[in-house]
Amino acid sequence: KAGVTQTPRYLIKTRGQQVTLSCSPISGHRSVSWYQQTPGQGLQFLFEYFSETQRNKGNFPGRFSGRQFSNSRSEMNVSTLELGDSALYLCASSLEGTSSGETQYFGPGTRLLVL
Amino acid sequence: AQTVTQSQPEMSVQEAETVTLSCTYDTSESNYYLFWYKQPPSRQMILVIRQEAYKQQNATENRFSVNFQKAAKSFSLKISDSQLGDTAMYFCAAIIQGAQKLVFGQGTRLTINP
């Protein structure tokens, strides 16, 4: 089976712009979670989607949003980018989601640089 | 709040040695799952090992094993016969019942020297 894929892999944006990141889960997986990784804050949970519904949301401002499509692919959007949004954004997929304690399988990440 | 703590920011050992990475967690829940993930320079997060809290037997995967001490809330990772390819950041993580997310520790940067 193909692993989790994320596009694009690298992105450079300027402050004030918006960005959309995409994640395709492992075939058959219905849950997608997103995490932000920065040197200062480490790995922080953004949100989890399951069957097109947001199950949980982390402590991030409303500029961060996401959605999941019927084929389980997920997108996250960041509007009005700030310098502090520069990070590696990781998505992870699983069959039933974190509530089942399943292993989360991660994609290679999208590295976002905000100038 | 549930937390995961890794007290060793960096470790370095010689190839073929055994190394143990420490992790402690804090939760009042009885049902939870613990993980060790490896993140090499490519930044791809890779599962090393998974432990279910209700299982007393320590999980093992080839050269990787854990020492799960539930009462002490400790979950250390032992790497035997370390190899150069084991060089990476290692993250301890937990899914606590009801939390619906992975909570990560700060990570331990492990370097295996030839």
Side-chain angles (χ1 to χ4, degrees), chain A residues 37 56 98 101 104 106 111, chain B residues 37 39 43-44 50 99-100:
Chain A
Q37 185 176 21
N56 194 13
T98 52
Q104 305 295 298
F106 284 82
R111 188 180 295 277
Chain B
Y37 279 92
Q39 189 178 43
R43 310 306 299 271
Q44 174 90 46
R50 174 178 178 268
Q100 292 184 314

Side-chain angles (χ1 to χ4, degrees), chain B:
Chain B
Q2 292 91 3
T3 59
V4 177
T5 303
Q6 294 177 250
S7 58
Q8 305 150 312
E10 292 190 39
M11 295 188 74
S12 178
V13 299
Q14 296 300 118
E15 196 175 4
E17 289 184 345
T18 294
V19 59
T20 298
L21 309 183
S22 301
C23 172
T24 58
Y25 57 93
D26 182 24
T27 180
S28 56
E29 297 289 338
S30 60
N31 190 22
Y32 50 90
Y33 304 84
L34 300 168
F35 305 82
W36 278 98
Y37 279 92
K38 165 185 176 181
Q39 189 178 43
S42 66
R43 310 306 299 271
Q44 174 90 46
M45 197 76 77
I46 302 164
L47 176 72
V48 175
I49 205 161
R50 174 178 178 268
Q51 174 81 43
E52 295 154 345
Y54 63 86
K55 287 188 176 178
Q56 292 190 338
Q57 187 172 5
N58 290 325
T60 63
E61 286 290 341
N62 301 314
R63 298 182 295 106
F64 299 88
S65 62
V66 297
N67 183 5
F68 175 44
Q69 300 289 325
K70 194 169 184 177
K73 296 182 182 176
S74 169
F75 183 61
S76 60
L77 174 69
K78 186 172 85 171
I79 305 173
S80 303
D81 186 27
S82 58
Q83 300 174 359
L84 297 179
D86 295 333
T87 293
M89 281 289 287
Y90 286 81
F91 291 95
C92 179
I95 295 176
I96 310 297
Q97 183 182 23
Q100 292 184 314
K101 63 181 178 180
L102 260 175
V103 177
F104 286 90
Q106 305 92 318
T108 296
R109 185 178 303 278
L110 176 65
T111 302
I112 310 298
N113 298 306

Side-chain angles (χ1 to χ4, degrees), chain A residues 45-71:
Chain A
F45 169 76
L46 280 156
F47 19 66
E48 180 185 36
Y49 286 88
F50 180 81
S51 292
E52 301 180 68
T53 300
Q54 187 180 87
R55 266 184 172 173
N56 194 13
K57 189 177 191 306
N59 189 24
F60 278 82
R63 300 185 296 106
F64 291 81
S65 63
R67 58 178 175 168
Q68 186 180 33
F69 302 95
S70 58
N71 62 357

Side-chain angles (χ1 to χ4, degrees), chain A residues 93-110:
Chain A
S93 79
S94 64
L95 283 168
E96 299 293 331
T98 52
S99 59
S100 65
E102 291 180 301
T103 296
Q104 305 295 298
Y105 295 92
F106 284 82
T110 293

Side-chain angles (χ1 to χ4, degrees), chain A:
Chain A
K1 270 187 182 178
V4 178
T5 59
Q6 292 186 245
T7 56
R9 293 292 311 277
Y10 303 92
L11 209 47
I12 300 175
K13 292 285 188 179
T14 56
R15 278 181 298 174
Q17 287 187 309
Q18 75 165 25
V19 66
T20 299
L21 312 182
S22 180
C23 172
S24 292
I26 292 171
S27 178
H29 285 190
R30 295 188 292 168
S31 170
V32 172
S33 296
W34 288 89
Y35 295 84
Q36 182 196 63
Q37 185 176 21
T38 60
Q41 299 297 317
L43 282 145
Q44 294 187 287
F45 169 76
L46 280 156
F47 19 66
E48 180 185 36
Y49 286 88
F50 180 81
S51 292
E52 301 180 68
T53 300
Q54 187 180 87
R55 266 184 172 173
N56 194 13
K57 189 177 191 306
N59 189 24
F60 278 82
R63 300 185 296 106
F64 291 81
S65 63
R67 58 178 175 168
Q68 186 180 33
F69 302 95
S70 58
N71 62 357
S72 294
R73 189 177 71 85
S74 177
E75 288 181 349
M76 67 164 280
N77 183 276
V78 188
S79 62
T80 319
L81 284 166
E82 300 177 0
L83 296 179
D85 297 333
S86 294
L88 179 68
Y89 290 88
L90 294 165
C91 85
S93 79
S94 64
L95 283 168
E96 299 293 331
T98 52
S99 59
S100 65
E102 291 180 301
T103 296
Q104 305 295 298
Y105 295 92
F106 284 82
T110 293
R111 188 180 295 277
L112 171 65
L113 176 62
V114 181
L115 301 176

